Amino acid sequence: MQIIQPHYHGIARTAQDYERMAMSGVVAVAEPAFWAGFDRLYPETFIDYFRQISEFEPTRAAQYGIRHFCWVAVNPKEAENPELSQAVLQRMPEFFDKPNVLGVGETGLHKSTRSECEIMQAQIELALEYDQLILIHTPHLGDKLHGTKRVLEILKGLPVNPDRVWIDHVEEHTLRMIKDAGYWLGFTLYPVTKCSPKRAVDMLERYGFERTLVNSSADWGPSDPFTLQECVLEFRRRGHSIQEGIEVFYNNPARFLGQNPKFDLLPIRLEAIQEEQPATAGR
Amino acid sequence: MLNPQQVVDRYFLESRCQLLEIAATLDRYDLASRENGTAGADDPRWERLYQSLEILADRGATPDRAERLLKLFSDPAL
């Protein structure tokens, strides 16, 4: 089955990931800009990082027949340094013209501090000014409920179109408030600690497939890109059809990301072909 | 969506395994306390584990246990 991996941190992974993803149906990945595991000191370091994900990483993915797209942003952790963040924000628009950059992400909140909220708002305003898609990170673990409510409060005060906003790392206790507000939402699967493939399928069954993206993040921490394929398998084992799987794991990301015309993979439908049988010669 | 029997057939062993992991962790804690004293006994995270087990043990609970546990493990609003 063809799959789009909509949240994948390729720079933290080996080429073997691309190879195995290609062998298991992944045809495109989208790589948000994220925290490197330490706080960077210089805006130029971000610029090189943005060059890496917008220029170099697509060449790695292409060796395995995988299309590579990306997002640029200052992540919530480094938003704690407002001077650095503002300097990076000034340079971000030049990347919006790159052929694989889809929008601003992942911005969002980590501890929901004042600085994080201000930098997130500034990035959303930048995205609106340049007509970019928006990808928002919500905190993990105990901070998630409060942080998600803050994200929604901030969005409510801005002239955003919910169709063009994806709020990620959603779990059972934050799902309804996001869905009710009309935004796209994402389940991010991890081997431990966060959302599991089975719980993601539970939520798909319970709340429907609409405006929902499933991804496995896959970063430098304990993570596994193939939790996405585990989720596909769990989904199929519960009796959902291949076309339904395509809807969730391919068409939904194609619909959301395709709002930026650079993402040119269109939704697909599985169809049997009625072929004429060749005439058999009489014997 | 699976029927109830399919859920039991498919997830019983896995759930049993996960519960055993929790049981073993609680045992590990108790044995460590016996050896080394009860430092950390008032850690609210541990109390929340026991509270979550009460939610799981309630057979009359509504099917929103995962959501209730996540709220239990959420930090209070600032």
Side-chain angles (χ1 to χ4, degrees), chain A residues 125-241:
Chain A
E125 288 167 346
L126 186 68
L128 292 172
E129 183 184 345
Y130 286 87
D131 196 26
Q132 297 294 305
L133 294 174
I134 298 167
L135 165 53
I136 296 179
H137 165 101
T138 55
H140 294 301
L141 305 178
D143 304 309
K144 186 184 293 295
L145 185 59
H146 172 66
T148 304
K149 287 177 182 172
R150 279 296 291 135
V151 163
L152 292 175
E153 283 170 9
I154 292 166
L155 286 170
K156 202 170 181 181
L158 295 167
V160 295
N161 175 357
D163 290 342
R164 296 176 61 82
V165 179
W166 157 20
I167 300 177
D168 209 10
H169 318 320
V170 170
E171 292 185 78
E172 288 88 342
H173 57 327
T174 56
L175 183 150
R176 281 194 303 273
M177 64 179 90
I178 294 168
K179 205 152 196 165
D180 290 348
Y183 299 103
W184 282 77
L185 58 93
F187 303 140
T188 307
L189 312 173
Y190 286 88
V192 287
T193 72
K194 297 159 191 166
C195 187
S196 70
K198 291 186 183 69
R199 283 172 49 211
V201 178
D202 291 338
M203 288 188 277
L204 286 166
E205 290 183 333
R206 190 159 184 175
Y207 299 103
F209 305 163
E210 298 76 24
R211 287 178 183 249
T212 302
L213 307 170
V214 187
N215 63 84
S216 55
S217 180
D219 48 42
W220 42 260
S223 55
D224 178 0
F226 299 98
T227 50
L228 184 57
Q229 280 80 350
E230 278 181 47
C231 192
V232 174
L233 176 61
E234 177 70 15
F235 186 82
R236 292 278 292 125
R237 287 182 74 208
R238 293 195 198 179
H240 299 287
S241 68

Side-chain angles (χ1 to χ4, degrees), chain B residues 46-65:
Chain B
W46 210 244
E47 176 57 26
R48 285 180 190 175
L49 278 189
Y50 277 97
Q51 289 174 7
S52 70
L53 293 174
E54 286 172 16
I55 291 172
L56 299 186
D58 178 7
R59 300 197 65 159
T62 49
D64 57 356
R65 295 175 184 85

